[in-house]
Amino acid sequence: MSTMTFRNRTRIALVLLLLLPLLLGPRTEASAGGSDGYRTKMLQLVNDVRDRNDRRLLRVDRKLSRYAIRHSRLMADAGYLFHTPDLASKLDGRNWSIGGENVGYASSLRAVMGGFMDSAPHRRNVLRRGYDHAAVGVVKAGGSFWVTTIFYG
């Protein structure tokens, strides 16, 4: 199988994985159980990619992560992805000049990370040199992990 065909099939599978929860209907179950462990795992996945690409590792912003968890829970309850309406207001009081946000969901945190890396704008956020902090919110609902990652520096 050619590389291009494999990549196309991989992308199609990823899109289907991301759409599956929407096709199954709205979610009423949304539990942040284990959210600290999920946050740690997701941040580790981000930092592993940053490390392999000679980028500074991100430090977690625990206070902003509480917001990120709430945002992930709202997305899970709604059954679709959406960005923070006014990200700058969430970064008030922090030392920052640039900020960005990735949101996604999939059946595993690795799949969410794979989706981020397969998307040019999300990949840019993961690898942006100016970032030094991240807030991470993960909610597991209906067999999917809903993730909000806010980057700033």
Side-chain angles (χ1 to χ4, degrees):
M1 174 175 356
S2 73
T3 303
M4 194 54 150
T5 303
F6 178 75
R7 284 185 182 166
N8 286 341
R9 287 184 180 173
T10 302
R11 286 185 181 142
I12 289 169
L14 182 60
V15 168
L16 290 174
L17 276 174
L18 293 174
L19 290 176
L20 187 60
L22 290 176
L23 298 173
L24 295 176
R27 300 286 176 247
T28 56
E29 163 211 354
S31 167
S35 61
D36 284 346
Y38 297 149
R39 176 181 56 221
T40 300
K41 177 66 175 172
M42 190 66 205
L43 185 62
Q44 185 63 51
L45 291 169
V46 169
N47 276 332
D48 287 349
V49 170
R50 289 181 64 85
D51 187 47
R52 286 193 304 270
N53 287 275
D54 298 319
R55 302 301 193 271
R56 179 182 355 181
L57 299 184
L58 302 174
R59 291 175 293 177
V60 69
D61 180 326
R62 292 189 186 281
K63 184 176 180 184
L64 189 56
S65 289
R66 288 193 295 270
Y67 164 77
I69 290 169
R70 287 192 307 272
H71 185 80
S72 293
R73 185 174 295 119
L74 287 172
M75 292 188 303
D77 288 346
Y80 61 89
L81 297 173
F82 53 90
H83 284 280
T84 298
D86 183 12
L87 186 59
S89 71
K90 299 299 179 199
L91 296 173
D92 278 349
R94 291 169 175 77
N95 184 18
W96 70 283
S97 59
I98 57 170
E101 179 184 56
N102 286 356
V103 295
Y105 70 97
S107 61
S108 72
L109 294 179
R110 284 192 184 280
V112 172
M113 190 65 199
F116 289 165
M117 297 311 290
D118 285 343
S119 160
H122 294 95
R123 182 181 178 86
R124 274 193 297 276
N125 273 340
V126 171
L127 295 175
R128 188 151 185 182
R129 290 189 185 275
Y131 294 144
D132 56 13
H133 283 84
V136 181
V138 179
V139 169
K140 186 173 183 186
S144 293
F145 290 89
W146 295 78
V147 178
T148 302
T149 307
I150 300 170
F151 304 91
Y152 68 92

